[in-house]
Amino acid sequence: MRTWCLSDQNLRRIKKLQTLKQININPYPSEEYTRTYNSKEIRNNYKNKKKVLLAGRIIRIRRMGKASFLELKDKYGIIQIYISINNFNYENKIYNLFFKKLIDIGDIIGITGYLFKTKNNQISVEAKKIKLLSKCLHTLPNVKIDKMGKTFDSFSNPEKRHRMKYVDFLVNEEIQKVILTRIKIITFIRNYLNQRNYLEVETPILQSIPGGAIARPFITYHNSLKSTLYLRISNELYLKKLLVGGFEKVYEFSRNFRNEGIDKKHNPEFTILEVYLAYKDYYWMMKFTEKFLHKICCNISQCFPLKFGKQDLNFLSPFIDPFQQITFFEALKIYTGFDISDMLENEIIKICTEINVKIDKNMKKGQILDQIFSQKCEKQILKPTFIIDFPIEMSPLAKKHRFKNGLSERFELIINGVEIANSYSELNDPIDQFKRFKKQIKLYNKMESENMLIDQDFILSLEYGMPPCAGIGFGLDRLIMLFTNQKNINDVLFFPSIKSLENRKNNFN
């Protein structure tokens, strides 16, 4: 057992644990515990003196001499338990020693008893048997609110909450609801796509080339293959290979990994929903996206507007309130005051100085434009908006625009100042794709080698012929942040990435 960071309360509970073992009560029994009812079923099917077996965690105890009350919490709610010394026949040991001295808030117990209602008409269980199922060795945070409305002892420290998610879920019901909404959204998406004959597929997480995006990868080594491998930064190229192979409608909940910064919108591992289908383009995908988000919204909020901070976000039918569409260069003009659509690179650099956009001296035109958009435009776009027709320099995997020179058939969906989705009419010309990859090498010369940017097998697959297609990637974690009104990505993840515990011991003393 760990020896650091044990408080006096921890030590007292450990002593109780030892006492339990000394009197032959197993604090962690292994046999199955049969439950006949949960708290919800008890409330919905109350019958006086009905026998019930239930289990849960103690969240409150009121000890009062020869009779006591406790509140037991399970998945479905809270139920009151009445404990009386008269119901136990072991020389009062069960009540006076086991219950009064060795049972604590946080312990998981099983109760056998009979239903009744108190004088206040509260449904309760009169316990005839108590079985300890798991001893809790820590004091649970117990939120208290005084007469002035001031809150005490809440589990609200962000670092503790995000490190100890199991406690966060246990004591902060709102965060548990957020995670349950996450599960509900993912289940809905899966059903929605499956019903429309999309195939859920799986692509490799360990890859020989970190392709499909420009990002710093996590690197590992495979001993048997004697080769360096990379954790997936994108699954896009593999999904396109499946289209080459004849699978026309595919999707994947892709766990991706990028060895880069951490903030309220970025986690080193994150989930992307990627959807690809043959014989469609990015115009079709915009219509699909509006309808798709409308269906998700209706599934979780009955089609009412969502509240995100102070902003009301409306996802009505695309026929009633379609998302706004603005071209990339129109957005730059709106939010910077400059029309830079026809400017050369050196002219754009001068504009960056005027509008106070920070850029690196080694950046090329596409990267500079990306910085201008990120720093000056994105955060100001609140209503759901498609930013369309990006410069070709910023879109190496998208088709050239069929009508507009120098642009690509690409859109990003921005909502409340955050990129939610990215979509292309996918490039399927292998020669053009190879040339684009070669240009990327010059832009990102910090990469280790040419092979880290050019997936030769992907080019080969395109040479066999990929049907015209549209693809989209939704930032699933960000989407869930939006639908649950959360401002920190850590609140929508089961277990976010944070600094190692060894570096944070002092915070828990």
Side-chain angles (χ1 to χ4, degrees), residues 485-497:
N485 195 15
Q486 300 300 311
K487 296 180 180 179
N488 193 322
I489 194 172
N490 290 344
D491 289 326
V492 302
L493 300 176
F494 285 95
F495 298 103
S497 301

Side-chain angles (χ1 to χ4, degrees), residues 27 55-58 72 103-104 106-110 131-136:
R57 188 184 295 272
I58 300 171
L72 202 67
I103 291 293
D104 293 297
D107 290 352
I108 299 172
I109 62 172
K131 184 176 180 63
L132 180 61
L133 302 176
S134 183
K135 183 67 182 169
C136 176

